[in-house]
Amino acid sequence: MVKIGVLISGNGSNLQAIIDGIDKGLIKGKIEIIISNNKDAYGLVRGKNSNIKSLFMDPKGYDPISYDRKLLYELKKSKVDLVVLAGYLKILSKEFIDQYKNRIINIHPSLIPSFCGKGYYGDRVHKAVLDYGVKYTGATAHFVDEGTDTGPIILQEIVAVDDGDTVKTLKEKVLQAEHKILVQAVKLFCDSKISIEERIVRIIDKE
Ligand code: GAR
């Protein structure tokens, strides 16, 4: 059973998708701990409702490196094997990433390498997509490396941008795709069905 730690900053709908995936027996893993950098994150309530240890860790008074050391301490204490960034809107330090190399999965609300990197998070991504006028966007589940949104891509799903879409409607459609591929990516990891060569991810025994 893979021990999972989930980091969040907000609503936690992606976290909920993982909780549901575990409850349905799809994901052979267990969420040991949820940590939020935002006190008001609704994801903390979702965690508590599912009887999962859910912590708010206040970033105030910490530089990014010491904050991440505190995060690492909590995750290691819970013996976490896989870290999932489910709407965690803070950049992780190199030290953190080194400790969990190829064991951190992030979900991003666009088709990487478009509309990603510094400054592209949450609603800003959908606003940029609409302003640019692309006809398709989507979601990407990827491993986290030292860059911002540059790590090996595990799964992607396409979402059409329709006339009349707003940030709100686009976000809803992309969230559906995010939930689907994030659950699938975590499932594949827990089933040891992912291999990585350089930056190319291959799914072993694709059904
Ligand atoms: C999601 O759309 C996720 O992809 C995005 O934040 C939202 C969190 O929603 N993450 C990023 O933009 C990271 N660069 P949720 O709290 O309902 O899961």
Side-chain angles (χ1 to χ4, degrees):
M1 193 67 91
V2 174
K3 293 184 178 2
I4 304 169
V6 184
L7 305 186
I8 57 164
S9 300
N11 179 32
S13 70
N14 279 288
L15 161 70
Q16 189 66 53
I18 300 170
I19 294 174
D20 296 345
I22 292 171
D23 288 349
K24 283 183 204 148
L26 255 161
I27 296 171
K28 293 184 185 57
K30 182 169 182 263
I31 302 178
E32 297 291 340
I33 187 165
I34 296 163
I35 305 175
S36 170
N37 64 331
N38 167 15
K39 178 164 63 64
D40 302 320
Y42 183 65
L44 288 172
V45 177
R46 296 181 191 268
K48 283 174 191 147
N49 287 344
S50 293
N51 295 315
I52 302 167
K53 182 175 177 185
S54 304
L55 297 181
F56 159 56
M57 261 178 50
D58 196 346
K60 251 186 234 129
Y62 288 92
D63 61 71
I65 291 176
S66 351
Y67 185 79
D68 281 7
R69 284 195 182 137
K70 216 165 113 75
L71 269 184
L72 276 171
Y73 172 79
E74 286 297 338
L75 294 167
K76 298 257 158 128
K77 199 165 81 181
S78 294
K79 300 195 163 50
V80 163
D81 308 304
L82 169 68
V83 178
V84 180
L85 309 186
Y88 184 64
L89 305 182
K90 213 167 172 291
I91 307 283
L92 291 169
S93 64
K94 178 177 173 350
E95 182 180 323
F96 187 102
I97 291 159
D98 285 346
Q99 294 272 326
Y100 277 99
K101 191 170 164 45
N102 292 337
R103 292 190 297 141
I104 309 169
I105 294 177
N106 180 46
I107 185 73
H108 183 78
S110 78
L111 292 174
I112 290 174
S114 286
F115 306 106
C116 62
K118 281 210 175 84
Y120 285 97
Y121 57 85
D123 288 358
R124 289 169 179 230
V125 176
H126 306 302
K127 166 104 176 41
V129 161
L130 290 170
D131 287 349
Y132 200 96
V134 291
K135 302 300 181 197
Y136 290 95
T137 182
T140 303
H142 66 96
F143 286 111
V144 174
D145 69 5
E146 277 174 48
T148 308
D149 302 325
T150 54
I153 291 172
I154 309 168
L155 296 170
Q156 293 188 298
E157 179 151 315
I158 296 167
V159 172
V161 181
D162 298 314
D163 290 349
D165 259 336
T166 61
V167 167
K168 191 168 178 285
T169 59
L170 198 54
K171 177 180 170 172
E172 282 310 312
K173 286 194 285 187
V174 172
L175 273 173
Q176 299 305 315
E178 291 183 39
H179 300 161
K180 192 171 142 196
I181 63 171
L182 182 61
V183 167
Q184 191 62 21
V186 173
K187 173 185 162 50
L188 288 167
F189 184 95
C190 292
D191 291 343
S192 303
K193 285 195 170 177
I194 297 180
S195 85
I196 312 171
E197 247 176 76
E198 302 286 327
R199 60 165 294 110
I200 307 302
V201 170
R202 296 201 198 284
I203 312 295
I204 306 163
D205 303 333
K206 216 172 182 177
E207 279 151 31

